[in-house]
Amino acid sequence: EGSTLADFLGFPRVPQLGLGLAALGRPGYINLGRDGDIATADARPVEVMRARAHEVLDAAHAAGVRYFDCARSYGRSEEFLSAWLTDRGLTRDDLAVGSKWGYRYVADWRVDTGGEPHEVKDHSLVHFLSQKVESLEFLGDHIRLYQIHSATFASGVLENHEVLDALVKMREETGVRLGLSLSGVEQGETLRKAIATGVFDSVQATWNLLEQSAGPALEEASKAGMQVIVKEAMANGRVLRHPALIVVASDLGVPADALALAAAMAQPFRAVVLSGAVTTAQLESNMQSLAVAEMLKSTENCAAALQRLLAEMRMDPEAYWKERSQMSWN
């Protein structure tokens, strides 16, 4: 059982753990320890990653996960998810799907791109219109949420009225909800600007025990009626190396990964928190976060332990994002 939301994107009773496909849709990603989780970088052809994605999707759905998150730029994530939905005969009444537009995947199924980027950002109207067609071709009416991928002040997308109008038109024509994802030190300020547009139904942001700076703005968004999705709740594996988390998890008798995810679930903005699992064992461990979140919300000593972690683990956002930018694709 554990933590559930009564309504998420119009879907009833959604557990607070979702599955993100950033690390399953392509051979390379920045998560720590990827070789041990999947296979060495040279042994991840499309069919291997497709089979692994379907295996983890099956396990997640069987365990009760009902929100699945992908993006145009996560390699073949939309394609893998689409094939799985078709193979399993699942409809939009069975689960909720979100995807994103705004980045093009250009790594050509390589892990080592020789210093070239893996994805290229483009928040223009032309790019939105082309990626919208591609997403709908794969996922059709399964898509309940379509998000701007990594909206920032620098990309100018929140001031681009052509794009905002086209998004609203998509919502009117298809019934999808509109969201944006955030990253970087300006997450909070960017979100406040997004709230002010009145366009968005949902926000997806990085929040974890190391990077808590978006918390107040996420609370504002939640109060304004937006759904909140949390990504990178384990900071691509970095939180799991923190001694404070390891000690508290041991004291509470819970897995460190479940505690990190539960810490995000226990925040007042009531988020669906994405698992980035790439193995069924990781997913099973992540699933324990739903029960741990209930402990953090309802038991005095657990709530106190969470407050200690929040105080001890918080990093300066500039330092956090600088460190993240230096993580290598593997």
Side-chain angles (χ1 to χ4, degrees):
E1 267 298 295
S3 292
T4 53
L5 301 180
D7 175 273
F8 181 73
L9 308 174
F11 197 90
R13 291 195 54 72
V14 171
Q16 274 189 273
L17 191 75
L19 181 67
L21 301 186
L24 283 167
R26 53 193 165 182
Y29 196 49
I30 62 169
N31 285 352
L32 298 169
R34 202 162 155 81
D35 278 5
D37 293 337
I38 301 180
T40 53
D42 55 358
R44 300 177 199 154
V46 173
E47 53 275 18
V48 164
M49 291 305 298
R50 182 190 292 114
R52 175 60 65 87
H54 286 192
E55 183 188 345
V56 177
L57 284 163
D58 278 337
H61 187 253
V65 171
R66 289 299 176 264
Y67 177 67
F68 298 86
D69 190 87
C70 54
R72 286 301 306 129
S73 64
Y74 297 166
R76 298 194 178 200
S77 65
E78 289 182 329
E79 180 188 328
F80 291 172
L81 182 58
S82 172
W84 176 76
L85 291 165
T86 303
D87 289 351
R88 306 300 183 265
L90 296 166
T91 72
R92 68 173 278 123
D93 296 328
D94 298 310
L95 46 78
V97 169
S99 195
K100 308 180 199 77
W101 71 275
Y103 277 91
R104 257 193 313 281
Y105 177 68
V106 293
D108 196 29
W109 211 258
R110 290 170 299 165
V111 175
D112 181 357
T113 57
E116 294 292 306
H118 284 245
E119 48 194 17
V120 174
K121 190 176 203 169
D122 177 355
H123 282 168
S124 68
L125 177 63
V126 169
H127 198 224
F128 164 66
L129 294 172
S130 66
Q131 289 205 312
K132 175 185 82 163
V133 170
E134 292 161 356
S135 292
L136 288 171
E137 273 177 7
F138 281 120
L139 294 165
D141 77 347
H142 278 103
I143 299 183
R144 284 176 179 267
L145 174 65
Y146 207 44
Q147 305 157 95
I148 303 174
H149 200 163
S150 199
T152 57
F153 287 123
S155 83
V157 70
L158 295 177
E159 293 166 340
N160 186 329
H161 292 288
E162 282 188 323
V163 171
L164 296 179
D165 289 348
L167 283 166
V168 170
K169 187 177 176 200
M170 180 187 183
R171 176 168 55 201
E172 287 166 356
E173 289 175 352
T174 65
V176 323
R177 285 163 164 79
L178 301 175
L180 74 164
S181 75
L182 305 169
S183 78
V185 291
E186 294 182 324
Q187 288 191 112
E189 289 312 301
T190 308
L191 176 51
R192 290 185 177 101
K193 187 173 182 73
I195 295 169
T197 68
V199 167
F200 299 98
D201 306 301
S202 152
V203 57
Q204 180 170 152
T206 293
W207 186 97
N208 57 58
L209 288 163
L210 301 175
E211 204 333 25
Q212 304 167 31
S213 66
L218 290 172
E219 278 192 62
E220 290 166 36
S222 178
K223 285 179 180 146
M226 289 169 73
Q227 308 254 212
V228 177
I229 301 167
V230 163
K231 62 186 169 78
E232 301 192 355
M234 291 190 278
N236 308 105
R238 284 191 283 157
V239 297
L240 302 180
R241 296 182 170 185
H242 198 290
L245 182 74
I246 294 163
V247 168
V248 172
S250 170
D251 288 349
L252 297 178
V254 300
D257 58 293
L259 179 56
L261 293 164
M265 292 173 189
Q267 297 309 303
F269 41 78
R270 301 282 290 150
V272 164
V273 179
L274 298 179
S275 160
V278 294
T279 70
T280 55
Q282 285 176 350
L283 182 88
E284 282 163 22
S285 191
N286 289 178
M287 286 301 300
Q288 295 182 56
S289 62
L290 295 167
V292 177
E294 287 303 299
M295 285 167 50
L296 296 179
K297 292 175 198 173
S298 60
T299 317
E300 213 168 295
N301 68 318
C302 295
L306 174 58
Q307 291 311 311
R308 280 202 310 280
L309 283 179
L310 289 167
E312 273 180 57
M313 290 179 64
R314 181 193 303 266
M315 274 179 79
D316 169 66
E318 296 275 357
Y320 174 91
W321 289 101
K322 185 178 181 193
E323 210 173 276
R324 187 188 185 283
S325 72
Q326 292 163 349
M327 293 179 78
S328 55
W329 291 75
N330 69 99

